[in-house]
Amino acid sequence: MGRNPKFKIRNLAILAIGVGLLSQHAVAGTNAQTVQQTYPMISLQTELARDADTYADDKALVETCTSKGQTQATCLCITHVLKYELTLNEYKAAVRLYDQDAKSVSAALRDKNVSPQDIQTAKDVMANLTGDGDFPERCAEAKAYYRR
């Protein structure tokens, strides 16, 4: 089953607007560091979690999530959204950080060459994931990606 063409058109429009805004900031002489912090760029060499085989991590995240009292459906949505939206290193960080002591996990992840930026991005995305009003839409979009 393919993605809804409306999603594709919407995503392309959002991308075009974002590129336009970034170019306006660059032309206006905005500090490049500020733009990078606001709109993090992903290198073409960066592996996305959605394109990687992460079965063991997916399973571990769902098990941890359900052990914390979430429903199976919610945990599957959390897994889909995180895997769809994060890079592979960010996703690995998110799996290990999910409801655990962030300091000890962060140190262990740094030992495995996961950058502090990847760890912070994972923390930021997970901070209020299910409480965000757009969680159902994000879940539906992520699930649609895996159905194609």
Side-chain angles (χ1 to χ4, degrees):
M1 180 186 262
R3 286 183 84 173
N4 185 336
K6 290 181 183 178
F7 281 117
K8 192 172 189 177
I9 292 169
R10 182 193 72 179
N11 289 343
L12 288 173
I14 291 169
L15 178 64
I17 291 168
V19 168
L21 290 172
L22 284 174
S23 65
Q24 285 179 350
H25 285 294
V27 171
T30 302
N31 182 342
Q33 185 177 8
T34 304
V35 173
Q36 185 179 11
Q37 289 173 349
T38 307
Y39 305 101
M41 304 304 275
I42 297 176
S43 164
L44 293 176
Q45 291 80 28
T46 302
E47 187 171 11
L48 300 175
R50 67 178 98 166
D51 299 330
D53 178 14
T54 59
Y55 178 77
D57 286 328
D58 301 345
K59 186 176 176 184
L61 180 57
V62 171
E63 287 175 1
T64 301
C65 178
T66 55
S67 73
K68 302 294 180 186
Q70 295 284 354
T71 66
Q72 181 81 11
T74 299
C75 293
L76 288 172
C77 274
I78 289 169
T79 302
H80 282 112
V81 169
L82 292 176
K83 184 170 177 170
Y84 180 70
E85 294 182 356
L86 299 176
T87 67
L88 183 57
N89 279 344
E90 292 166 351
Y91 181 68
K92 287 181 180 200
V95 170
R96 279 146 192 85
L97 288 167
Y98 194 83
D99 279 340
Q100 296 183 17
D101 176 35
K103 287 184 182 179
S104 64
V105 172
S106 294
L109 287 167
R110 275 190 235 106
D111 290 342
K112 293 183 179 188
N113 296 324
V114 176
S115 76
Q117 289 174 317
D118 291 336
I119 295 167
Q120 189 58 50
T121 299
K123 287 178 185 178
D124 292 344
V125 170
M126 292 186 322
N128 197 22
L129 182 63
T130 57
D132 286 344
D134 65 346
F135 180 69
E137 291 84 14
R138 290 167 70 190
C139 180
E141 186 174 353
K143 281 184 177 182
Y145 175 82
Y146 294 110
R147 286 188 198 133
R148 52 179 185 130

